[in-house]
Structure formats: C-alpha cells, structure tokens
Amino acid sequence: MRLNRTLLSTALVVVALVVQVSVLARLQLPGAVPDLLLLTVLGLAFVYGPVSGSLIGFGAGLLADLAPPADHAAGRYALVLCVIGYLAGLVRPENGQLKSAFAPMAAVVAAALGSTLLYAGVGALVGDTAARHVGLGSLLLTAAIYDLLLAPFTVPLIMALARRTENDPVSEAAGSSKDVAAGWLASGTGLRIGNQRGGLRMKAARSRASRAGRIKGVKRL
C-alpha cells in the first residue's frame, strides 16, 4: 500500500480499536458488542479494493487479538477480518463513491453475520467454547442490529477520508519538483528539453548557414 493509505488506515484502526475496547465493550449490551473495527475495515476496503482491504483487515484483527482484554487465540480475529476485508473490496462501489445506501448497508449486515459465523467456526476448530452460553442465534441477530445502527455514522465518513488519500502527496511532490526543475531550466537558461532538442539543432544550423553567407559576401567584396 502507498504511504498515505498506510498512515490513514493505521490511524483509523487504532482509534476504532481504542473506542471499541474502552467504550463500546463496556456498554454491557445484550448479545454481541458493536464492532467498530469491522466497520472501519469495511469502509477502507470499499475504497481501496480487495488486496488493501485484506491487509488492513489482517492488521486490525491482529491488533484486536493482542489488545487486552482479549481471551482468545492470537490470529483468530485477524483471519476473520482478513477474509471480510478481501470480500468487501471485491464489491466496492465504482470509484469508491456510494450511489445508494442499500448496497453498503446490505454489505454491513452480510459482514456482521459472516464475521460472527466465521469467528464461531474458527473457535470451534481450536476448541474455544466461551460464546456458547450466549447462543449463536442471539449473537448473529444483535451483531447485525448493532453494526447496522452504527454504520451510517462511521462508514461514509471513513470512505470520505479514504478517498482523499487516493492522490499520493509523495508522488505529487516528486512530480511537482520535476516540473519546477524543468521550468527553471527552460526559463532561466533559454534551453528547451525533451522533444524540442531538434528545434535547437535547427536553430544552430540556420545560424551557421547565415554566418557562412555573411563571410562569403565579405570575401566577394
């Protein structure tokens, strides 16, 4: 990923993780916890595409796996968000801009249900049964409701911020420095670059021809 994408994604993921752990997880809501980290990955994947979405999802999930008070195997949520980020990138809207609210809201519900099922499936494979007392049906319903209510306040804002990073400031600075250098050479020295070298050669040939004509005229006199 480009530098500006990496910086923005890291900042948004860290902020989302802090808010989720320190605020949302302490609301003691019935069933699941509103997954701000999932919505952040979705918003970024909708703009950046599947490859960047999977990388962002893996990094965000790994941070969630290591952040206290995590009580599950490290890498479990990283796998879930990696898959979700990749799939969300595949269905990103054209040019990363939303034309209707239905498609992204449907994607949020699908991601909430899919991440819960995938998380529970990976937990069953590694022998984690901590969520059985809540019930998978309750987790699916509450996860979809909470994320759907939170999405309108987060996903459009994240997508708007992500679209701003599509113009890489590092590349733009490099390009502008080249343009400034080219302009300085053209204006300060009178030289032209690129395709105009032929023009310099033609001017030099004409100058030599006119000089030779003047010398011949003097000799004839």
Side-chain angles (χ1 to χ4, degrees):
M1 291 190 299
R2 294 182 297 183
L3 178 60
N4 50 357
R5 287 188 179 186
T6 304
L7 293 177
L8 177 64
S9 302
T10 302
L12 291 177
V13 165
V14 171
V15 171
L17 181 61
V18 170
V19 172
Q20 182 166 327
V21 172
S22 60
V23 178
L24 298 179
R26 298 185 179 183
L27 295 178
Q28 296 182 352
L29 297 173
V33 175
D35 200 339
L36 182 58
L37 202 59
L38 173 66
L39 298 178
T40 302
V41 172
L42 287 178
L44 294 173
F46 284 156
V47 178
Y48 294 152
V51 176
S52 296
S54 61
L55 293 175
I56 295 170
F58 179 81
L62 189 60
L63 285 178
D65 289 332
L66 300 177
D71 56 354
H72 55 267
R76 180 177 171 186
Y77 201 47
L79 173 62
V80 172
L81 288 188
C82 180
V83 174
I84 296 298
Y86 181 81
L87 295 178
L90 291 178
V91 298
R92 64 173 176 170
E94 185 178 357
N95 297 327
Q97 296 182 354
L98 298 177
K99 294 183 179 180
S100 67
F102 176 77
M105 292 300 101
V108 167
V109 174
L113 298 177
S115 62
T116 304
L117 288 173
L118 186 57
Y119 186 83
V122 175
L125 292 177
V126 299
D128 185 359
T129 59
R132 282 188 177 179
H133 66 281
V134 180
L136 184 59
S138 176
L139 285 177
L140 290 172
L141 179 61
T142 54
I145 293 175
Y146 295 155
D147 292 348
L148 191 60
L149 292 176
L150 188 60
F153 303 100
T154 55
V155 175
L157 177 61
I158 292 171
M159 292 182 66
L161 293 175
R163 283 195 299 269
R164 290 178 173 271
T165 64
E166 284 301 280
N167 296 323
D168 194 343
V170 176
S171 299
E172 289 181 355
S176 62
S177 64
K178 292 180 181 178
D179 294 338
V180 170
W184 180 82
L185 286 174
S187 61
T189 63
L191 297 178
R192 301 298 181 99
I193 59 176
N195 295 329
Q196 297 184 1
R197 291 180 178 175
L200 285 176
R201 293 174 183 172
M202 291 295 296
K203 289 180 179 179
R206 291 174 182 173
S207 178
R208 287 194 298 268
S210 61
R211 190 181 303 112
R214 288 195 298 269
I215 292 175
K216 289 180 179 179
V218 171
K219 288 182 178 179
R220 289 175 182 176
L221 294 174

